[in-house]
Amino acid sequence: MIQCLFLLSDAGDVILEKQWMGKRVERSICSWFWRQRSEMEDQDPPSVIASPTHYLLHIVREGVTFLACTASEMPPLLGIEFLCKVASVLENYLGGLNEDILKDNFVIVYEILDEMMDSGFPSTTEPSVLKEIIAPPNLVSRVLSVVTGTSSSLNAASPLATSSQVSWRASNVKHSNNEIYFDLVEEMDAVFNRDGFVVKCEAYGEIQATSRLSGMPELSLTFANADILHDVNFHPCVRYRAWEADQMLSFIPPDGAFKLMSYRVKGLKNPPLFVRPQLSSGEGICRVNVLVGLRGDPGKPVDAIIVQLPWPPSVVSTNLSPSVGTVTYSFSTKVSTWIIGRIPKDKSPCLSGTLQLEPGINRLEEFPTFLVGFKIQGTAVSGLKVDKMDIRNVEYRPYKGFRAVTRAASYEIRT
Amino acid sequence: MNADSGHRKGEIAELKSQLRQLAGSRAPGVEEVKRELYKKVISYMTIGIDVSSLFSEMVMCSATSDLVVKKMCYLYVGNYAKVHPDLALLTINFLQRDCQDDDPMIRGLALRSLCSLRVMNFVEYLVGSLRKGLKDNNGYVRQVAAMGVLKLYHIAPTACIENDFVATLKSMLSQDPDAQVVANCLCALEEILVLERTNSDRANKDREMLHSKQIVFSLLNRIKDFSEWAQCLVLDMVSKYIPVDPNETFDIMNLLEDRLQHSNSAVVLATIKVFLQLTISMADVHQQVYERIKAPLLTLISSGSPELSYAVLSHLHLLVMRAPILFSSDYKHFYCRYSDPSYVKKLKIEMLTAVASESNMYEIVTELSEYAANVDVGITREAIRAVGKIALNLCDVNAIVDRLLQFLEMERDYVTAETLVLVKDLVRKYPEWSHDCIAVVGNVSSKSIQEPKAKAALIWMLGEYSHDMLDAPYVLESFVDNWLEEDSPEVRLELLTAAAKIFFKRPPESQKLLGAALAAAVDDPDQDVHDKGLFYYRLLQQGVQTAESIVNPPKKAVSDFADIQNSEMRDRIFDEFNSLSVIYREPSYMFLDKEHRKLYEFSDEAAPTDVLPTQKLDANDNDLLLGAFDKEESQSGVSNGDDGPLSAPRSPSPTLLGDSVPPVSASNIPAAFGIDDLLGLNISTPPPPPPSLVLSSKPVLDSGTFQKKWSQLPVALSFEHPISAQSLKTTQPLLRHMQEKSVQCMASGGQSPTFKFFFFAQKADGMPGTGFFLVECLVHTSAGKASVKVKSEDSTFTAAFSDLFKSALSSFII
């Protein structure tokens, strides 16, 4: 099982360590780990590697490396999922994640880590339950402690006295305004080859919910077209039987923000954007011409269109001008970034110009891949629609909010 | 630096006096000050400064009602108690008091800290507090107490057993209303009973009980009450359960099917493991299980973070290797994303290779060709290799050959290099394509190739297909002219062979070439090249035709290239689905199993199983967690510093003739190294025993069974036998040698001058799992002898096997 956790800064320094077992793991393991990284030219090594003494599992979030050590066999995903959970709980608690924030709040970080794992096995990781045991370092509680003079971060009645029927929710939740929000977020992966054909197109969706409801609400949510969902994953609160029988999400929500479900949509035919690149090189110069346009009508406007053009190392400089938007070039990363925004009605965006190649190189030998970003507010690209949402077992009538957004995740254009 | 540490010392002294003043003070606001001071101490501790000198002051101030201060105090004490066991006694008092607190939170925290101190003297205090904790009316405290039992076991196993905590945990397992308490009991019990297994029968019985139908189903029925992590525990336990009949299997699968939809991938993987294990002997259902688990796994790889998808991909890889056809329509899931880290890309490329079939081959090869133009050189190479592998695995290689040849036209050095190696393998398997390939290879400029492997491949093709390439002799000639600049012995060996082959085909053009190559080879500083040169020279003395029949006999097309991992090994990994060994593609016994280790480690050089001291880290970087075989290799890397007799500098022999035929100077050849020896024959040894005993070429035996058999069987025969192993530096050469004689190595270890081996072999015609011969072999290199103990399952063949083994030892030459 997991023996200890190190949080490392982006320079490889130990920000803090937490040991869960009697046998301590020395910090020197961190320098070993960091050496591996530098040997790989600062690329992140695989998430599970073996050091001479331990297995090391790690993830990187916001520049902070979460490094766990174990000397015994264990399910690797248990370790990695746990690290992901630690990262998200800390981020949630501290309102961000970086070296300074962690250092400013190390006492709370210790408290959290102490509750999240015991004897190397994960225990309480549900944020809403943790928050009852350990108060978040927010302004309110700070003000409160000054005003009331109580220095304890716990409320007098220990929350543990009121154990709940469902492990993800306390029984005594109270809100003055009862509300629940659902965000339907879909991310699209697509790959186009140099002839403009779709090589691969898929969407991955999540329903993120934020619940501020009092009591023990029973919710049910149905979709107008649940059959398009290919493979679904649920938050533990969702009752699978109801889904299987009626394609209905039936659940008692945790308090606060959580991921209700995630799914995959296969066989999407219509990626909303096309990008047509033309590159021709010779005599040390590469001519570039890139067209961007809509492929059919996604129903809502496509916003925040951005095209990243990472050039091969042999490119020395660029001279590109867009017909719409702005283009910037970073010398250090050799990436041109073309910010288009929304496509105007009267003009189709076009980027043209030349690349100067290194002396001695006649033509571009590598074929760059362009990356496209965009956002479509108000619609899910899969067409998934919420039919209705009911709430039972409570007296009040809460405010219900729904939103949908589609984003490009890995939208690649090969040249 | 000094000033800095001096400054720090001052600060710590300052903290010390401040803490002293606070101790016992009840002034208003004192808690706030305490909190700040504690914070400072903890922050020093966090950045790695030793503040253990404050121990007594910290304990003196520990009387507080502030929970955060308490927690910091527990943290501090937990960190330094081991260093100050005497002072730690001071903390017992306040921890025990806190264990009685009204607030369950404080009771729990105090009990957890008490258990985490891990000081032997505390055991008696611990037992009492734990017993109370297990009966506490609050779930949180019972959770902590259940884990506390495990901690107690690690400090003092006997105390834990004698106080009958196992029985308490057992009863809580089936009775406690709090699911998390049950989970913790399960966690503690599993670990204690596994460790206790060897000591007592009772633990074995308890363990059986733990995996009994009643317990398994009682946990399964309430699985939804458990947290996601506890579910993993329960699922792991279920995977060890053997159902009595198929109905039970289906019951379990029905209960668990929705777990495949869980958002936590650890739960999904644990469920999959249960499904695979339950159905392993039900072929039809097993196949359906594959179908069922496919979608959740594919979703995990496309939706999770790269770290997660790497781990999932490793598991998918295992399944793909077992059932490639199952995934052949999902190949697009393994297309690389631009943003994937290269370790994920590599794995995906491997998957694409594995799932390639007649139906999707065109798309996959097209996709891989895209990666060949990638900016990342590592990925480019992997992609080209993958295209080659697909070509070697499938029959319809028409389109692929074109693709590979296009790579050669890309004129990027490493692409060319990688491709040449593949084209070489390709023409070995598909001689019918050689004409097309050679035409293109002929256009490759030999100047642009730097990598030894690629050079060797090109030279091999030049030698093999010299009749198709007009300028082959001249290209080879330029290579031979630059003999001294060629760093790699591999290339020089290949060059020598190519020169000989071309000589057999086109003697007039290449006689001079061969002469120059032989002369250069005999003078070569590398032993192998030198020996080969000499060998060829003597063969040629026997006549050109004799030489040709040995150097370049007619070849058959290669039908199958050796698979790196045999299927038996894969099956074993498969049993370990959802474990780290899947990611390593090595069964975990190779690196984790202590029992296995004991087998091959000598006590005096036993590798530390715990934390290594820092300074040892470097030397052992590649070591320890690696498998036994890898280990040998890395050891040899370390011990190469001192020169053995083999690599001792040879006297430079004066070359008398600069002409085509070099003289054979006696000083050049060690007496023992006759041509016969070069051929691997040893005339002095008796011929192998009559064919009554034939050994299986691929015996299957795992380490556990080996150990069991070894402990059960009596020694059938023991003898000493001479072995010429004076210069044996690692176990590897002997191990390989014995393998050729169908004697497999189970484990090996040791350092010059003593090595220890455990070998095994199996009768070829016997039933599977029977007819094993087990051998312990101690090799004393300096004395030149081996002490051998043979155990045999079939005593009629013991003598025959021993003779075989002896002759194998005699023929060993290093």
Side-chain angles (χ1 to χ4, degrees):
Chain A
M1 284 292 120
I2 294 177
Q3 281 178 287
C4 67
L5 173 72
F6 294 100
L7 303 190
L8 307 180
S9 72
D10 51 10
D13 302 325
V14 179
I15 303 172
L16 62 80
E17 69 174 84
K18 171 74 195 166
Q19 307 269 349
W20 280 293
M21 308 283 257
K23 287 177 192 160
R24 297 179 64 83
V25 182
E26 296 302 320
R27 283 190 178 195
S28 53
I29 198 86
C30 299
S31 35
W32 183 89
F33 172 79
W34 211 254
R35 267 209 309 284
Q36 300 303 301
R37 240 187 82 103
S38 45
E39 274 165 26
M40 295 178 64
E41 291 162 6
D42 284 337
Q43 279 192 15
D44 203 29
S47 45
V48 183
I49 56 173
S51 83
T53 51
H54 293 83
Y55 285 112
L56 306 182
L57 297 95
H58 84 280
I59 61 166
V60 183
R61 293 289 178 273
E62 313 288 332
V64 179
T65 303
F66 293 74
L67 179 71
C69 310
T70 173
S72 59
E73 184 58 272
M74 66 173 285
L77 284 150
L78 187 96
I80 295 174
E81 281 277 3
F82 175 72
L83 291 178
C84 293
K85 206 77 173 198
V86 170
S88 80
V89 165
L90 290 183
E91 190 167 5
N92 182 302
Y93 252 91
L94 310 176
L97 206 56
N98 62 42
E99 193 176 348
D100 290 338
I101 294 181
L102 287 169
K103 278 189 172 158
D104 287 347
N105 295 288
F106 63 86
V107 173
I108 238 174
V109 177
Y110 279 129
E111 285 183 62
I112 293 171
L113 294 178
D114 217 24
E115 291 301 333
M116 286 185 80
M117 180 161 270
D118 195 3
S119 263
F121 199 81
S123 46
T124 311
T125 56
E126 195 58 50
S128 55
V129 180
L130 279 171
K131 279 195 179 146
E132 291 176 47
I133 310 178
I134 305 153
N138 59 14
L139 204 62
V140 181
S141 73
R142 239 178 264 153
V143 171
L144 216 70
S145 74
V146 172
V147 174
T148 59
T150 55
S151 50
S152 167
S153 65
L154 261 188
N155 21 353
S158 171
L160 297 162
T162 59
S163 84
S164 160
Q165 287 303 304
V166 284
S167 62
W168 58 88
R169 188 181 176 93
S171 54
N172 56 349
V173 179
K174 274 206 180 70
H175 290 282
S176 48
N177 289 321
N178 288 296
E179 51 195 13
I180 182 156
Y181 298 96
F182 294 95
D183 278 304
L184 197 57
V185 182
E186 289 196 349
E187 293 197 329
M188 189 162 205
D189 277 1
V191 178
F192 297 83
N193 71 7
R194 64 180 60 84
D195 303 318
F197 286 116
V198 181
V199 176
K200 176 187 166 181
C201 181
E202 202 180 48
Y204 165 78
E206 273 182 19
I207 299 181
Q208 291 157 2
T210 307
S211 159
R212 292 193 202 92
L213 300 172
S214 313
M216 276 287 174
E218 281 278 357
L219 303 186
S220 63
L221 183 79
T222 49
F223 298 103
N225 48 353
D227 50 315
I228 62 166
L229 304 177
H230 184 64
D231 184 54
V232 283
N233 275 310
F234 298 119
H235 188 273
C237 69
V238 176
R239 299 182 184 94
Y240 186 68
R241 294 277 173 252
W243 172 260
E244 236 186 350
D246 310 315
Q247 307 262 287
M248 178 176 78
L249 293 176
S250 156
F251 58 100
I252 299 172
D255 199 44
F258 65 103
K259 184 168 95 182
L260 179 63
M261 73 179 281
S262 61
Y263 56 88
R264 199 149 53 87
V265 186
K266 255 202 334 200
L268 281 178
K269 293 282 179 301
N270 291 314
L273 278 183
F274 75 80
V275 176
R276 210 156 288 153
Q278 280 182 319
L279 301 180
S280 57
S281 55
E283 290 165 9
I285 297 258
C286 177
R287 261 167 249 291
V288 179
N289 192 336
V290 185
L291 278 173
V292 176
L294 292 176
R295 287 168 58 108
D297 182 17
K300 295 268 159 63
V302 183
D303 277 320
I305 301 173
I306 179 169
V307 184
Q308 286 200 311
L309 310 99
W311 302 115
S314 56
V315 171
V316 182
S317 65
T318 66
N319 180 16
L320 301 170
S321 56
S323 67
V324 174
T326 57
V327 67
T328 52
Y329 175 69
S330 152
F331 280 96
S332 57
T333 57
K334 301 212 170 181
V335 177
S336 294
T337 307
W338 178 19
I339 299 171
I340 300 174
R342 194 180 286 192
I343 295 179
K345 284 211 169 62
D346 50 339
K347 251 199 298 196
S348 55
C350 172
L351 181 74
S352 52
T354 55
L355 308 176
Q356 183 70 45
L357 305 184
E358 242 171 55
I361 293 183
N362 265 334
R363 58 190 184 89
L364 216 52
E365 285 173 340
E366 297 93 345
F367 306 112
T369 300
F370 300 156
L371 305 173
V372 182
F374 60 81
K375 203 162 87 176
I376 310 173
Q377 290 283 9
T379 186
V381 73
S382 67
L384 184 70
K385 283 200 172 64
V386 173
D387 185 30
K388 63 174 192 225
M389 207 281 292
D390 289 326
I391 179 163
R392 282 174 294 119
N393 203 26
V394 289
E395 306 278 291
Y396 53 84
R397 298 188 58 177
Y399 175 80
K400 297 182 265 188
F402 294 94
R403 276 189 307 195
V405 65
T406 300
R407 282 196 296 252
S410 176
Y411 205 88
E412 302 171 11
I413 317 291
R414 290 174 181 163
T415 60
Chain B
M1 188 66 200
N2 270 338
D4 197 35
S5 70
H7 175 64
R8 233 170 235 155
K9 252 185 203 148
E11 274 185 39
I12 293 174
E14 169 79 21
L15 275 172
K16 199 172 187 141
S17 74
Q18 281 177 316
L19 281 167
R20 278 228 171 106
Q21 285 167 11
L22 280 182
S25 159
R26 294 196 187 281
V30 70
E31 295 292 335
E32 284 296 314
V33 186
K34 233 187 226 177
R35 202 189 253 215
E36 286 312 308
L37 282 179
Y38 269 49
K39 244 186 181 166
K40 220 175 239 172
V41 174
I42 300 289
S43 75
Y44 280 150
M45 194 181 95
T46 301
I47 52 176
I49 297 170
D50 184 8
V51 282
S52 61
S53 56
L54 300 175
F55 201 94
S56 45
E57 284 76 16
M58 289 291 280
V59 175
M60 278 197 283
C61 288
S62 61
T64 175
S65 58
D66 186 316
L67 192 69
V68 176
V69 174
K70 252 191 210 317
K71 281 184 180 173
M72 285 195 272
C73 190
Y74 295 156
L75 184 68
Y76 176 90
V77 171
N79 213 12
Y80 290 116
K82 257 205 151 144
V83 203
H84 296 284
D86 43 337
L87 287 173
L89 268 173
L90 299 171
T91 61
I92 286 284
N93 242 336
F94 87 87
L95 283 175
Q96 276 197 312
R97 201 173 51 236
D98 283 353
C99 285
Q100 318 280 337
D101 201 279
D102 287 341
D103 187 343
M105 182 90 206
I106 292 177
R107 291 205 298 276
L109 284 171
L111 184 57
R112 190 191 290 154
S113 310
L114 195 60
C115 298
S116 304
L117 293 181
R118 294 174 212 254
V119 179
M120 258 321 250
N121 317 347
F122 291 7
V123 168
E124 48 180 311
Y125 304 100
L126 202 50
V127 169
S129 303
L130 271 180
R131 199 170 278 145
K132 274 198 202 102
L134 289 169
K135 291 198 189 95
D136 201 287
N137 59 9
N138 186 284
Y140 182 76
V141 183
R142 292 200 303 279
Q143 283 169 30
V144 171
M147 278 302 189
V149 172
L150 179 58
K151 289 174 189 158
L152 171 66
Y153 181 82
H154 284 308
I155 315 167
T158 25
C160 180
I161 301 295
E162 277 165 11
N163 282 287
D164 224 11
F165 280 126
V166 172
T168 319
L169 290 183
K170 257 164 48 187
S171 72
M172 286 166 74
L173 186 67
S174 43
Q175 281 158 21
D176 202 286
D178 185 316
Q180 190 61 42
V181 176
V182 174
N184 287 8
C185 288
L186 179 61
C187 188
L189 275 176
E190 283 270 12
E191 200 168 333
I192 292 174
L193 293 179
V194 167
L195 293 170
E196 198 54 24
R197 173 175 61 175
T198 46
N199 299 344
S200 81
D201 287 342
R202 195 162 146 219
N204 268 326
K205 276 203 197 93
D206 280 339
R207 202 150 175 264
E208 269 168 37
M209 195 253 1
L210 196 63
H211 296 162
S212 70
K213 182 174 176 172
Q214 188 210 344
I215 299 275
V216 166
F217 274 84
S218 80
L219 294 174
L220 272 177
N221 281 322
R222 59 186 297 198
I223 191 145
K224 292 189 181 87
D225 301 342
F226 291 109
S227 76
E228 49 210 287
W229 314 108
Q231 288 183 16
C232 293
L233 261 183
V234 173
L235 288 166
D236 183 53
M237 188 180 120
V238 176
S239 73
K240 292 176 199 147
Y241 174 71
I242 301 160
V244 287
D245 57 31
N247 285 338
E248 216 173 280
T249 302
F250 292 123
D251 284 348
I252 296 176
M253 295 210 296
N254 277 333
L255 275 170
L256 292 180
E257 194 182 359
D258 56 344
R259 296 299 100 194
L260 290 173
Q261 246 60 51
H262 202 284
S263 59
N264 187 319
S265 63
V267 176
V268 177
L269 267 279
T271 312
I272 290 178
K273 170 152 192 173
V274 172
F275 279 34
L276 290 173
Q277 291 289 349
L278 286 179
T279 60
I280 204 147
S281 55
M282 306 156 82
D284 291 357
V285 191
H286 201 61
Q287 208 57 34
Q288 284 169 26
V289 166
Y290 278 133
E291 293 285 351
R292 179 65 187 81
I293 62 181
K294 206 167 77 169
L297 281 170
L298 292 174
T299 304
L300 286 177
I301 60 165
S302 50
S303 62
S305 59
E307 294 103 348
L308 229 139
S309 74
Y310 172 70
V312 178
L313 271 170
S314 305
H315 284 86
L316 255 174
H317 183 263
L318 194 67
L319 297 178
V320 164
M321 298 312 275
R322 291 268 295 204
I325 301 155
L326 193 70
F327 292 90
S328 63
S329 57
D330 300 291
Y331 60 93
K332 282 192 182 175
H333 283 282
F334 308 131
Y335 281 8
C336 297
R337 282 184 207 173
Y338 185 81
S339 53
D340 283 337
S342 51
Y343 60 86
V344 169
K345 282 186 182 155
K346 275 187 188 144
L347 205 46
K348 284 187 173 172
I349 291 175
E350 268 185 64
M351 309 279 248
L352 285 173
T353 320
V355 300
S357 66
E358 309 282 318
S359 60
N360 57 23
M361 182 188 73
Y362 181 77
E363 283 82 5
I364 290 181
V365 170
T366 308
E367 180 72 11
L368 287 170
S369 306
E370 291 287 344
Y371 308 152
N374 200 289
V375 182
D376 183 338
V377 178
I379 296 303
T380 305
R381 286 178 188 275
E382 294 287 339
I384 296 171
R385 264 176 236 160
V387 173
K389 259 189 217 157
I390 294 176
L392 292 177
N393 287 338
L394 299 174
C395 304
D396 178 22
V397 291
N398 208 334
I400 302 184
V401 173
D402 283 351
R403 251 349 129 133
L404 276 177
L405 297 180
Q406 273 169 22
F407 290 154
L408 288 180
E409 285 157 10
M410 280 168 70
E411 290 178 11
R412 286 160 80 189
D413 293 352
Y414 54 91
V415 174
T416 310
E418 216 43 80
T419 312
L420 278 176
V421 177
L422 285 170
V423 171
K424 180 201 73 185
D425 285 341
L426 212 62
V427 294
R428 284 172 68 200
K429 182 162 180 187
Y430 309 106
E432 64 271 25
W433 285 100
S434 62
H435 201 78
D436 301 60
C437 293
I438 296 309
V440 182
V441 170
N443 292 333
V444 173
S445 154
S446 57
K447 300 267 183 311
S448 65
I449 307 162
Q450 296 304 324
E451 291 167 36
K453 270 206 155 56
K455 258 190 200 172
L458 177 67
I459 291 170
W460 183 85
M461 286 188 276
L462 285 168
E464 190 70 25
Y465 297 97
S466 51
H467 48 282
D468 279 343
M469 284 191 265
L470 272 183
D471 59 346
Y474 310 103
V475 180
L476 285 176
E477 209 166 67
S478 72
F479 273 117
V480 174
D481 286 345
N482 294 318
W483 189 280
L484 292 174
E485 276 104 80
E486 184 50 63
D487 291 329
S488 159
E490 184 192 354
V491 175
R492 300 200 298 269
L493 282 170
E494 205 60 71
L495 193 48
L496 184 60
T497 310
K501 283 198 222 163
I502 201 167
F503 171 73
F504 300 135
K505 282 175 196 146
R506 301 161 71 171
E509 288 164 282
S510 49
Q511 187 172 11
K512 206 171 137 235
L513 168 69
L514 177 61
L518 279 173
V522 172
D523 266 350
D524 201 278
D526 186 272
Q527 183 78 56
D528 284 346
V529 180
H530 166 80
D531 288 355
K532 195 170 179 180
L534 219 52
F535 174 54
Y536 277 15
Y537 168 68
R538 291 188 165 178
L539 273 177
L540 286 164
Q541 278 183 324
Q542 306 294 317
V544 175
Q545 264 178 2
T546 322
E548 183 172 8
S549 69
I550 288 170
V551 176
N552 195 23
K555 289 186 189 63
K556 269 195 206 149
V558 181
S559 59
D560 277 307
F561 286 88
D563 203 352
I564 309 150
Q565 239 175 3
N566 61 37
S567 63
E568 184 256 337
M569 191 72 117
R570 273 203 303 263
D571 281 359
R572 193 150 35 178
I573 299 172
F574 192 67
D575 291 339
E576 300 182 2
F577 193 88
N578 199 21
S579 70
L580 293 165
S581 64
V582 174
I583 296 178
Y584 282 94
R585 304 194 195 160
E586 298 261 17
S588 62
Y589 78 85
M590 298 277 270
F591 39 82
L592 285 174
D593 190 350
K594 298 222 173 64
E595 286 170 27
H596 177 72
R597 277 200 169 176
K598 270 186 220 143
L599 199 65
Y600 69 77
E601 270 167 9
F602 294 114
S603 53
D604 54 342
E605 55 122 27
T609 48
D610 195 4
V611 186
L612 277 181
T614 357
Q615 68 271 24
K616 278 190 85 175
L617 271 176
D618 274 327
N620 288 325
D621 261 0
N622 300 316
D623 202 345
L624 242 179
L625 287 175
L626 302 175
F629 301 88
D630 295 337
K631 185 174 163 134
E632 296 313 325
E633 265 164 10
S634 61
Q635 271 182 357
S636 76
V638 175
S639 64
N640 260 351
D642 52 333
D643 265 350
L646 230 197
S647 47
R650 285 180 306 278
S651 55
S653 66
T655 312
L656 297 176
L657 298 175
D659 211 332
S660 57
V661 183
V664 182
S665 84
S667 70
N668 236 347
I669 321 155
F673 281 38
I675 280 198
D676 289 332
D677 283 338
L678 284 171
L679 282 171
L681 301 170
N682 196 326
I683 294 169
S684 64
T685 50
S692 53
L693 172 66
V694 180
L695 294 178
S696 155
S697 59
K698 279 183 186 160
V700 178
L701 187 66
D702 65 42
S703 70
T705 325
F706 182 94
Q707 285 175 54
K708 220 164 100 196
K709 287 189 196 291
W710 184 260
S711 56
Q712 283 165 354
L713 292 168
V715 176
L717 202 66
S718 63
F719 55 87
E720 283 195 352
H721 196 79
I723 179 166
S724 60
Q726 281 77 357
S727 46
L728 194 66
K729 284 255 173 292
T730 74
T731 57
Q732 208 68 10
L734 181 61
L735 205 143
R736 286 212 195 93
H737 173 78
M738 296 310 274
Q739 227 159 25
E740 283 165 20
K741 312 281 176 199
S742 299
V743 177
Q744 309 297 322
C745 181
M746 175 55 68
S748 64
Q751 268 169 353
S752 189
T754 314
F755 293 95
K756 189 175 191 175
F757 298 85
F758 283 96
F759 290 112
F760 68 96
Q762 191 182 14
K763 243 171 52 195
D765 47 354
M767 295 275 290
T770 66
F772 280 106
F773 302 97
L774 312 183
V775 182
E776 182 198 87
C777 177
L778 269 164
V779 175
H780 310 281
T781 54
S782 49
K785 61 174 188 183
S787 321
V788 181
K789 277 183 198 152
V790 179
K791 297 189 177 186
S792 161
E793 285 192 319
D794 190 344
S795 55
T796 49
F797 285 100
T798 309
F801 174 77
S802 303
D803 289 342
L804 239 162
F805 193 80
K806 278 180 197 164
S807 88
L809 283 181
S810 305
S811 64
F812 176 67
I813 282 165
I814 181 163

